[in-house]
mmCIF file of all heavy atoms in Angstrom:
data_model
loop_
_atom_site.group_PDB
_atom_site.id
_atom_site.type_symbol
_atom_site.label_atom_id
_atom_site.label_comp_id
_atom_site.label_asym_id
_atom_site.label_seq_id
_atom_site.Cartn_x
_atom_site.Cartn_y
_atom_site.Cartn_z
ATOM 1 N N ASP A 126 233.506 173.347 35.979
ATOM 2 C CA ASP A 126 234.486 173.799 36.976
ATOM 3 C C ASP A 126 233.947 174.956 37.811
ATOM 4 O O ASP A 126 234.152 175.006 39.032
ATOM 5 C CB ASP A 126 235.786 174.217 36.281
ATOM 6 C CG ASP A 126 236.520 173.052 35.649
ATOM 7 O OD1 ASP A 126 236.212 171.897 36.006
ATOM 8 O OD2 ASP A 126 237.390 173.290 34.785
ATOM 9 N N ILE A 127 233.275 175.915 37.172
ATOM 10 C CA ILE A 127 232.783 177.068 37.935
ATOM 11 C C ILE A 127 231.641 176.648 38.847
ATOM 12 O O ILE A 127 231.473 177.194 39.943
ATOM 13 C CB ILE A 127 232.376 178.237 37.016
ATOM 14 C CG1 ILE A 127 232.232 179.536 37.814
ATOM 15 C CG2 ILE A 127 231.099 177.947 36.258
ATOM 16 C CD1 ILE A 127 233.494 180.047 38.436
ATOM 17 N N CYS A 128 230.848 175.660 38.422
ATOM 18 C CA CYS A 128 229.817 175.127 39.313
ATOM 19 C C CYS A 128 230.454 174.493 40.542
ATOM 20 O O CYS A 128 229.997 174.711 41.678
ATOM 21 C CB CYS A 128 228.942 174.109 38.584
ATOM 22 S SG CYS A 128 227.758 174.816 37.423
ATOM 23 N N ASP A 129 231.512 173.700 40.331
ATOM 24 C CA ASP A 129 232.213 173.071 41.455
ATOM 25 C C ASP A 129 232.769 174.132 42.402
ATOM 26 O O ASP A 129 232.693 173.999 43.627
ATOM 27 C CB ASP A 129 233.343 172.176 40.945
ATOM 28 C CG ASP A 129 232.843 170.901 40.280
ATOM 29 O OD1 ASP A 129 231.644 170.599 40.395
ATOM 30 O OD2 ASP A 129 233.658 170.213 39.631
ATOM 31 N N PHE A 130 233.337 175.181 41.827
ATOM 32 C CA PHE A 130 233.867 176.290 42.632
ATOM 33 C C PHE A 130 232.742 176.928 43.450
ATOM 34 O O PHE A 130 232.891 177.217 44.645
ATOM 35 C CB PHE A 130 234.516 177.323 41.710
ATOM 36 C CG PHE A 130 235.042 178.541 42.427
ATOM 37 C CD1 PHE A 130 236.342 178.564 42.908
ATOM 38 C CD2 PHE A 130 234.249 179.665 42.600
ATOM 39 C CE1 PHE A 130 236.826 179.688 43.573
ATOM 40 C CE2 PHE A 130 234.722 180.783 43.255
ATOM 41 C CZ PHE A 130 236.019 180.798 43.743
ATOM 42 N N ALA A 131 231.600 177.152 42.806
ATOM 43 C CA ALA A 131 230.485 177.832 43.458
ATOM 44 C C ALA A 131 229.901 176.998 44.595
ATOM 45 O O ALA A 131 229.410 177.550 45.585
ATOM 46 C CB ALA A 131 229.402 178.167 42.435
ATOM 47 N N VAL A 132 229.936 175.661 44.451
ATOM 48 C CA VAL A 132 229.416 174.797 45.517
ATOM 49 C C VAL A 132 230.202 175.031 46.807
ATOM 50 O O VAL A 132 229.633 175.220 47.886
ATOM 51 C CB VAL A 132 229.472 173.313 45.111
ATOM 52 C CG1 VAL A 132 229.097 172.423 46.290
ATOM 53 C CG2 VAL A 132 228.541 173.053 43.945
ATOM 54 N N GLY A 133 231.523 175.049 46.710
ATOM 55 C CA GLY A 133 232.342 175.342 47.888
ATOM 56 C C GLY A 133 232.100 176.740 48.412
ATOM 57 O O GLY A 133 232.043 176.978 49.631
ATOM 58 N N LEU A 134 231.937 177.678 47.484
ATOM 59 C CA LEU A 134 231.713 179.070 47.858
ATOM 60 C C LEU A 134 230.422 179.230 48.657
ATOM 61 O O LEU A 134 230.324 180.104 49.527
ATOM 62 C CB LEU A 134 231.651 179.923 46.585
ATOM 63 C CG LEU A 134 231.406 181.418 46.754
ATOM 64 C CD1 LEU A 134 232.582 182.066 47.482
ATOM 65 C CD2 LEU A 134 231.215 182.072 45.391
ATOM 66 N N SER A 135 229.433 178.378 48.389
ATOM 67 C CA SER A 135 228.142 178.519 49.057
ATOM 68 C C SER A 135 228.246 178.369 50.571
ATOM 69 O O SER A 135 227.334 178.760 51.306
ATOM 70 C CB SER A 135 227.141 177.501 48.500
ATOM 71 O OG SER A 135 227.488 176.177 48.852
ATOM 72 N N ARG A 136 229.349 177.827 51.055
ATOM 73 C CA ARG A 136 229.579 177.713 52.504
ATOM 74 C C ARG A 136 230.639 178.700 52.984
ATOM 75 O O ARG A 136 231.115 178.595 54.135
ATOM 76 C CB ARG A 136 229.993 176.286 52.856
ATOM 77 C CG ARG A 136 228.892 175.257 52.602
ATOM 78 C CD ARG A 136 229.303 173.852 52.985
ATOM 79 N NE ARG A 136 228.236 172.897 52.683
ATOM 80 C CZ ARG A 136 227.257 172.568 53.527
ATOM 81 N NH1 ARG A 136 227.225 173.111 54.738
ATOM 82 N NH2 ARG A 136 226.326 171.701 53.187
ATOM 83 N N GLN A 137 231.007 179.667 52.131
ATOM 84 C CA GLN A 137 232.075 180.606 52.500
ATOM 85 C C GLN A 137 231.735 182.052 52.165
ATOM 86 O O GLN A 137 232.619 182.857 51.896
ATOM 87 C CB GLN A 137 233.364 180.225 51.766
ATOM 88 C CG GLN A 137 233.865 178.824 52.067
ATOM 89 C CD GLN A 137 235.139 178.516 51.315
ATOM 90 O OE1 GLN A 137 236.205 179.055 51.612
ATOM 91 N NE2 GLN A 137 235.044 177.661 50.311
ATOM 92 N N LEU A 138 230.468 182.392 52.153
ATOM 93 C CA LEU A 138 230.065 183.776 51.851
ATOM 94 C C LEU A 138 230.245 184.601 53.126
ATOM 95 O O LEU A 138 229.296 184.980 53.802
ATOM 96 C CB LEU A 138 228.618 183.807 51.359
ATOM 97 C CG LEU A 138 228.367 183.023 50.069
ATOM 98 C CD1 LEU A 138 226.877 182.972 49.751
ATOM 99 C CD2 LEU A 138 229.123 183.630 48.896
ATOM 100 N N HIS A 139 231.484 184.859 53.444
ATOM 101 C CA HIS A 139 231.857 185.389 54.753
ATOM 102 C C HIS A 139 231.846 186.914 54.787
ATOM 103 O O HIS A 139 232.036 187.589 53.784
ATOM 104 C CB HIS A 139 233.255 184.899 55.136
ATOM 105 C CG HIS A 139 234.287 185.230 54.090
ATOM 106 N ND1 HIS A 139 234.858 186.473 53.969
ATOM 107 C CD2 HIS A 139 234.832 184.471 53.102
ATOM 108 C CE1 HIS A 139 235.727 186.468 52.958
ATOM 109 N NE2 HIS A 139 235.716 185.270 52.412
ATOM 110 N N GLY A 140 231.635 187.443 55.984
ATOM 111 C CA GLY A 140 231.802 188.870 56.229
ATOM 112 C C GLY A 140 232.999 189.086 57.142
ATOM 113 O O GLY A 140 233.918 188.264 57.185
ATOM 114 N N LEU A 141 232.982 190.201 57.885
ATOM 115 C CA LEU A 141 234.080 190.540 58.789
ATOM 116 C C LEU A 141 233.499 190.958 60.139
ATOM 117 O O LEU A 141 232.402 191.512 60.213
ATOM 118 C CB LEU A 141 234.909 191.709 58.239
ATOM 119 C CG LEU A 141 235.738 191.465 56.979
ATOM 120 C CD1 LEU A 141 236.316 192.786 56.475
ATOM 121 C CD2 LEU A 141 236.857 190.480 57.256
#
Side-chain angles (χ1 to χ4, degrees):
D126 292 343
I127 195 64
C128 285
D129 288 349
F130 177 90
V132 173
L134 179 65
S135 68
R136 295 181 182 271
Q137 301 180 71
L138 298 173
H139 55 80
L141 292 172

